[in-house]
Amino acid sequence: MATQASPTATPTLSSTNSVTLPVEDYLLKNDEDAEMLYASKILVRQCMARFGFDYAVDPGWKSPSDPKGDAANMARRYGVSDATTAARYGYHLPTNVLPAPPADAQPMSDAARDVFLGDNPRADGGGLHVKQYQGQKIPAHGCSGEAERKLGTGLDERLPESINDASFQQSMAAPQVNGAFRSWSACMRKNGYTFSTPLEPLRTRLSASPTASEIHMAESDVACKKKTNLVGIWVAVESTVQKSLIEKNQEGLTQVRSTARQTLERSAKVIAEGASS
């Protein structure tokens, strides 16, 4: 059942730059996510080495391009809302938040993949029988499973992510947000653009780099958001929805956060030991 959103106050916001939604307390920041993944790779490398395989670990995992970036995607959650970004990039993603390209690595051999995955099922339906390599027992679910067991399940964010998704969908159905959409749409029409919601421009086909016409549309988009206080209204409504959903799922969310902290502590220890060895 959808949560009824009746905000007690509506802030005036021209962008989402300083906005944090309640559910972000339970979602991993980029640097936390990177730390867990980096530690996991170190453990996988150690495990794979026992079977005679090299497993590359890219030190770049320790330095995400946007360390405090939020999993709620506030920069684009309600479409483009920052005037400076719109004037430079239009609807393109800023280059400094693009994911770093993966380090060059050789594809795994079949034998290495068997050790990595162990008895995990494969896409082709195979794999459940793989429990040994050259007489040596492979850990349950392979080296990837061993790493997860050692670190814990702090990367499992299904509950907060489901709240993050549900609140967004519910907020779009709220009368206050729909009213803001209509006001924004009317403003955009005066500038020569026909859109029903501020998410529609994000789906337009983009050229390889921002064009003058794209930038003009993005700037109009941001200006109309500011004029109608669309961001402030949307944030107020979605925050109200999230608070209600968080209250209903508080026990599970507290456990998610506790597990994440434990995994982060173990990750920090693995990384420190890896650096000293």
Side-chain angles (χ1 to χ4, degrees):
M1 180 181 294
T3 300
Q4 295 298 316
S6 298
T8 56
T10 300
T12 299
L13 297 171
S14 58
S15 78
T16 57
N17 289 343
S18 60
V19 175
T20 301
L21 291 174
V23 77
E24 291 184 71
D25 286 344
Y26 305 95
L27 292 168
L28 293 173
K29 297 291 187 288
N30 285 354
D31 57 350
E32 295 173 332
D33 185 69
E35 184 175 8
M36 289 184 190
L37 288 171
Y38 184 65
S40 176
K41 283 177 170 284
I42 290 175
L43 291 174
V44 170
R45 179 183 63 190
Q46 294 170 353
C47 175
M48 296 289 284
R50 301 201 306 265
F51 294 86
F53 296 107
D54 291 327
Y55 183 80
V57 178
D58 180 6
W61 282 98
K62 295 195 297 182
S63 304
S65 59
D66 184 16
K68 297 299 179 183
D70 60 281
N73 188 30
M74 291 308 300
R76 311 272 290 189
R77 191 175 186 91
Y78 309 129
V80 174
S81 63
D82 180 69
T84 302
T85 301
R88 183 174 180 184
Y89 298 103
Y91 290 101
H92 281 70
L93 283 170
T95 53
N96 65 336
V97 300
L98 292 174
D104 291 336
Q106 295 297 319
M108 278 189 183
S109 66
D110 290 342
R113 189 175 296 106
D114 283 344
V115 171
F116 179 77
L117 294 173
D119 56 1
N120 273 317
R122 311 292 196 269
D124 60 5
L128 292 174
H129 62 287
V130 181
K131 296 183 179 180
Q132 288 191 352
Y133 175 73
Q134 293 187 347
Q136 187 176 351
K137 184 179 179 181
I138 298 174
H141 302 321
C143 286
S144 59
E146 179 178 281
E148 181 177 327
R149 286 190 295 278
K150 287 184 175 180
L151 285 182
T153 56
L155 281 169
D156 185 356
E157 296 183 280
R158 281 174 291 184
L159 178 56
E161 284 176 349
S162 69
I163 291 174
N164 187 40
D165 293 340
S167 67
F168 183 76
Q169 295 300 325
Q170 291 183 28
S171 69
M172 287 188 66
Q176 304 97 313
V177 174
N178 274 272
F181 284 177
R182 289 191 294 272
S183 298
W184 172 87
S185 182
C187 177
M188 288 292 280
R189 268 198 308 276
K190 292 179 180 178
N191 289 279
Y193 305 105
T194 305
F195 295 109
S196 297
T197 78
L199 300 183
E200 289 180 7
L202 298 179
R203 304 186 188 110
T204 57
R205 182 182 294 276
L206 301 178
S207 57
S209 58
T211 62
S213 60
E214 175 193 335
I215 288 174
H216 182 269
M217 185 168 75
E219 289 179 321
S220 298
D221 183 348
V222 171
C224 285
K225 285 189 174 82
K226 182 177 181 180
K227 182 178 180 179
T228 61
N229 194 30
L230 186 146
V231 174
I233 294 169
W234 205 342
V235 165
V237 169
E238 187 166 17
S239 294
T240 301
V241 173
Q242 285 191 2
K243 288 174 183 177
S244 177
L245 292 172
I246 287 170
E247 184 178 352
K248 293 174 182 176
N249 295 276
Q250 189 62 70
E251 183 177 351
L253 288 168
T254 299
Q255 182 60 51
V256 167
R257 184 160 54 182
S258 175
T259 301
R261 286 175 177 167
Q262 292 171 13
T263 300
L264 281 167
E265 290 172 1
R266 295 188 190 107
S267 297
K269 184 177 180 181
V270 167
I271 292 171
E273 291 175 349
S276 62
S277 61

Short mmCIF file of all heavy atoms in Angstrom, two decimals, residues 198-230:
data_model
loop_
_atom_site.label_atom_id
_atom_site.label_comp_id
_atom_site.label_asym_id
_atom_site.label_seq_id
_atom_site.Cartn_x
_atom_site.Cartn_y
_atom_site.Cartn_z
N PRO A 198 9.81 15.99 -15.48
CA PRO A 198 11.23 16.36 -15.62
C PRO A 198 12.16 15.17 -15.87
O PRO A 198 13.35 15.36 -16.08
CB PRO A 198 11.55 17.04 -14.29
CG PRO A 198 10.56 16.51 -13.34
CD PRO A 198 9.31 16.26 -14.13
N LEU A 199 11.62 13.95 -15.86
CA LEU A 199 12.44 12.78 -16.18
C LEU A 199 12.48 12.54 -17.69
O LEU A 199 13.40 11.88 -18.19
CB LEU A 199 11.90 11.54 -15.47
CG LEU A 199 11.85 11.60 -13.95
CD1 LEU A 199 11.36 10.27 -13.38
CD2 LEU A 199 13.21 11.96 -13.36
N GLU A 200 11.51 13.06 -18.41
CA GLU A 200 11.44 12.83 -19.86
C GLU A 200 12.65 13.39 -20.62
O GLU A 200 13.16 12.73 -21.53
CB GLU A 200 10.14 13.39 -20.43
CG GLU A 200 8.91 12.58 -20.01
CD GLU A 200 7.63 13.17 -20.58
OE1 GLU A 200 7.70 14.09 -21.40
OE2 GLU A 200 6.55 12.68 -20.19
N PRO A 201 13.15 14.58 -20.28
CA PRO A 201 14.32 15.07 -21.01
C PRO A 201 15.54 14.16 -20.89
O PRO A 201 16.38 14.13 -21.79
CB PRO A 201 14.59 16.44 -20.36
CG PRO A 201 13.27 16.86 -19.82
CD PRO A 201 12.61 15.60 -19.36
N LEU A 202 15.63 13.43 -19.78
CA LEU A 202 16.78 12.54 -19.60
C LEU A 202 16.75 11.38 -20.59
O LEU A 202 17.78 10.73 -20.82
CB LEU A 202 16.79 11.97 -18.18
CG LEU A 202 16.94 12.98 -17.03
CD1 LEU A 202 16.90 12.24 -15.70
CD2 LEU A 202 18.23 13.77 -17.17
N ARG A 203 15.59 11.12 -21.18
CA ARG A 203 15.46 9.99 -22.11
C ARG A 203 15.66 10.41 -23.56
O ARG A 203 15.56 9.57 -24.47
CB ARG A 203 14.08 9.34 -21.94
CG ARG A 203 13.79 8.91 -20.51
CD ARG A 203 12.48 8.14 -20.42
NE ARG A 203 12.10 7.89 -19.03
CZ ARG A 203 11.08 8.46 -18.42
NH1 ARG A 203 10.30 9.31 -19.09
NH2 ARG A 203 10.80 8.20 -17.16
N THR A 204 15.90 11.69 -23.80
CA THR A 204 16.11 12.14 -25.18
C THR A 204 17.45 11.63 -25.68
O THR A 204 18.39 11.45 -24.91
CB THR A 204 16.06 13.67 -25.28
OG1 THR A 204 17.05 14.23 -24.39
CG2 THR A 204 14.69 14.20 -24.89
N ARG A 205 17.53 11.41 -26.97
CA ARG A 205 18.78 10.92 -27.57
C ARG A 205 19.82 12.04 -27.55
O ARG A 205 19.55 13.16 -27.99
CB ARG A 205 18.53 10.46 -29.01
CG ARG A 205 19.78 9.88 -29.68
CD ARG A 205 19.46 9.48 -31.12
NE ARG A 205 18.53 8.39 -31.17
CZ ARG A 205 18.87 7.10 -31.08
NH1 ARG A 205 20.15 6.77 -30.93
NH2 ARG A 205 17.96 6.15 -31.15
N LEU A 206 21.00 11.72 -27.03
CA LEU A 206 22.05 12.72 -26.91
C LEU A 206 23.14 12.50 -27.95
O LEU A 206 23.41 11.37 -28.35
CB LEU A 206 22.68 12.67 -25.51
CG LEU A 206 21.75 12.91 -24.32
CD1 LEU A 206 22.53 12.76 -23.02
CD2 LEU A 206 21.10 14.28 -24.41
N SER A 207 23.76 13.58 -28.37
CA SER A 207 24.92 13.48 -29.26
C SER A 207 26.13 13.08 -28.44
O SER A 207 26.06 12.96 -27.21
CB SER A 207 25.16 14.82 -29.95
OG SER A 207 25.35 15.83 -28.97
N ALA A 208 27.26 12.90 -29.11
CA ALA A 208 28.47 12.45 -28.41
C ALA A 208 28.91 13.44 -27.34
O ALA A 208 29.45 13.05 -26.30
CB ALA A 208 29.59 12.22 -29.41
N SER A 209 28.68 14.72 -27.57
CA SER A 209 29.02 15.75 -26.60
C SER A 209 27.90 16.77 -26.55
O SER A 209 27.09 16.87 -27.49
CB SER A 209 30.35 16.42 -26.97
OG SER A 209 30.26 16.99 -28.27
N PRO A 210 27.81 17.55 -25.48
CA PRO A 210 26.71 18.51 -25.35
C PRO A 210 26.68 19.53 -26.49
O PRO A 210 27.70 20.10 -26.86
CB PRO A 210 27.00 19.19 -24.01
CG PRO A 210 27.83 18.23 -23.25
CD PRO A 210 28.67 17.53 -24.29
N THR A 211 25.50 19.74 -27.05
CA THR A 211 25.32 20.74 -28.10
C THR A 211 24.71 22.00 -27.49
O THR A 211 24.20 22.00 -26.37
CB THR A 211 24.39 20.21 -29.20
OG1 THR A 211 23.09 19.96 -28.62
CG2 THR A 211 24.93 18.92 -29.81
N ALA A 212 24.74 23.08 -28.26
CA ALA A 212 24.18 24.35 -27.79
C ALA A 212 22.68 24.21 -27.52
O ALA A 212 22.17 24.74 -26.53
CB ALA A 212 24.44 25.44 -28.82
N SER A 213 21.97 23.48 -28.39
CA SER A 213 20.53 23.32 -28.21
C SER A 213 20.22 22.47 -26.97
O SER A 213 19.26 22.74 -26.24
CB SER A 213 19.90 22.69 -29.45
OG SER A 213 20.47 21.42 -29.73
N GLU A 214 21.05 21.44 -26.74
CA GLU A 214 20.85 20.60 -25.55
C GLU A 214 21.08 21.42 -24.28
O GLU A 214 20.31 21.33 -23.32
CB GLU A 214 21.81 19.41 -25.57
CG GLU A 214 21.76 18.55 -24.31
CD GLU A 214 22.92 17.57 -24.22
OE1 GLU A 214 23.48 17.20 -25.26
OE2 GLU A 214 23.27 17.18 -23.08
N ILE A 215 22.14 22.21 -24.28
CA ILE A 215 22.46 23.03 -23.11
C ILE A 215 21.35 24.05 -22.86
O ILE A 215 20.94 24.28 -21.71
CB ILE A 215 23.82 23.72 -23.30
CG1 ILE A 215 24.95 22.69 -23.17
CG2 ILE A 215 24.00 24.86 -22.30
CD1 ILE A 215 26.32 23.22 -23.49
N HIS A 216 20.81 24.64 -23.92
CA HIS A 216 19.72 25.61 -23.76
C HIS A 216 18.50 24.94 -23.13
O HIS A 216 17.85 25.51 -22.24
CB HIS A 216 19.36 26.22 -25.11
CG HIS A 216 18.27 27.25 -25.03
ND1 HIS A 216 16.93 26.95 -25.16
CD2 HIS A 216 18.33 28.59 -24.79
CE1 HIS A 216 16.22 28.04 -25.01
NE2 HIS A 216 17.04 29.06 -24.79
N MET A 217 18.18 23.73 -23.58
CA MET A 217 17.04 23.02 -23.01
C MET A 217 17.28 22.68 -21.55
O MET A 217 16.38 22.83 -20.70
CB MET A 217 16.74 21.75 -23.81
CG MET A 217 15.48 21.01 -23.34
SD MET A 217 14.94 19.71 -24.49
CE MET A 217 16.16 18.44 -24.14
N ALA A 218 18.48 22.23 -21.22
CA ALA A 218 18.81 21.88 -19.84
C ALA A 218 18.75 23.11 -18.94
O ALA A 218 18.27 23.04 -17.80
CB ALA A 218 20.19 21.24 -19.77
N GLU A 219 19.23 24.23 -19.45
CA GLU A 219 19.17 25.46 -18.66
C GLU A 219 17.73 25.90 -18.43
O GLU A 219 17.38 26.37 -17.33
CB GLU A 219 19.96 26.57 -19.37
CG GLU A 219 21.47 26.36 -19.33
CD GLU A 219 22.24 27.45 -20.05
OE1 GLU A 219 21.76 27.91 -21.12
OE2 GLU A 219 23.30 27.86 -19.56
N SER A 220 16.89 25.75 -19.46
CA SER A 220 15.47 26.07 -19.30
C SER A 220 14.83 25.14 -18.29
O SER A 220 14.00 25.57 -17.46
CB SER A 220 14.76 25.94 -20.66
OG SER A 220 15.27 26.84 -21.61
N ASP A 221 15.19 23.88 -18.34
CA ASP A 221 14.69 22.86 -17.42
C ASP A 221 14.99 23.27 -15.98
O ASP A 221 14.11 23.29 -15.11
CB ASP A 221 15.36 21.53 -17.77
CG ASP A 221 14.89 20.35 -16.93
OD1 ASP A 221 14.20 20.57 -15.92
OD2 ASP A 221 15.22 19.21 -17.29
N VAL A 222 16.26 23.60 -15.72
CA VAL A 222 16.68 23.98 -14.37
C VAL A 222 15.98 25.26 -13.92
O VAL A 222 15.54 25.38 -12.77
CB VAL A 222 18.21 24.14 -14.32
CG1 VAL A 222 18.64 24.74 -12.98
CG2 VAL A 222 18.90 22.80 -14.53
N ALA A 223 15.88 26.22 -14.84
CA ALA A 223 15.23 27.48 -14.49
C ALA A 223 13.76 27.27 -14.13
O ALA A 223 13.24 27.89 -13.19
CB ALA A 223 15.35 28.46 -15.66
N CYS A 224 13.08 26.38 -14.85
CA CYS A 224 11.68 26.09 -14.55
C CYS A 224 11.54 25.34 -13.24
O CYS A 224 10.56 25.54 -12.50
CB CYS A 224 11.05 25.30 -15.70
SG CYS A 224 10.69 26.31 -17.17
N LYS A 225 12.49 24.47 -12.92
CA LYS A 225 12.47 23.79 -11.63
C LYS A 225 12.58 24.81 -10.50
O LYS A 225 11.89 24.73 -9.48
CB LYS A 225 13.60 22.77 -11.54
CG LYS A 225 13.40 21.48 -12.32
CD LYS A 225 14.47 20.47 -11.97
CE LYS A 225 14.22 19.12 -12.61
NZ LYS A 225 14.67 19.06 -14.01
N LYS A 226 13.47 25.78 -10.68
CA LYS A 226 13.65 26.80 -9.66
C LYS A 226 12.41 27.67 -9.53
O LYS A 226 11.95 27.96 -8.41
CB LYS A 226 14.87 27.66 -10.00
CG LYS A 226 15.17 28.73 -8.97
CD LYS A 226 16.43 29.51 -9.32
CE LYS A 226 16.73 30.57 -8.26
NZ LYS A 226 17.96 31.33 -8.60
N LYS A 227 11.83 28.06 -10.65
CA LYS A 227 10.66 28.94 -10.65
C LYS A 227 9.47 28.28 -9.95
O LYS A 227 8.70 28.94 -9.24
CB LYS A 227 10.29 29.32 -12.08
CG LYS A 227 9.12 30.28 -12.19
CD LYS A 227 8.85 30.64 -13.64
CE LYS A 227 7.66 31.60 -13.74
NZ LYS A 227 7.40 31.99 -15.16
N THR A 228 9.30 26.99 -10.14
CA THR A 228 8.15 26.27 -9.57
C THR A 228 8.46 25.59 -8.25
O THR A 228 7.59 24.96 -7.66
CB THR A 228 7.66 25.21 -10.57
OG1 THR A 228 8.73 24.26 -10.82
CG2 THR A 228 7.24 25.85 -11.90
N ASN A 229 9.72 25.69 -7.80
CA ASN A 229 10.19 25.00 -6.59
C ASN A 229 9.90 23.50 -6.67
O ASN A 229 9.56 22.84 -5.67
CB ASN A 229 9.55 25.57 -5.32
CG ASN A 229 10.29 25.09 -4.05
OD1 ASN A 229 11.49 24.83 -4.08
ND2 ASN A 229 9.56 24.96 -2.95
N LEU A 230 10.04 22.94 -7.85
CA LEU A 230 9.76 21.52 -8.04
C LEU A 230 10.64 20.65 -7.15
O LEU A 230 10.16 19.69 -6.53
CB LEU A 230 9.94 21.14 -9.51
CG LEU A 230 9.54 19.70 -9.88
CD1 LEU A 230 8.97 19.65 -11.28
CD2 LEU A 230 10.73 18.74 -9.78
#
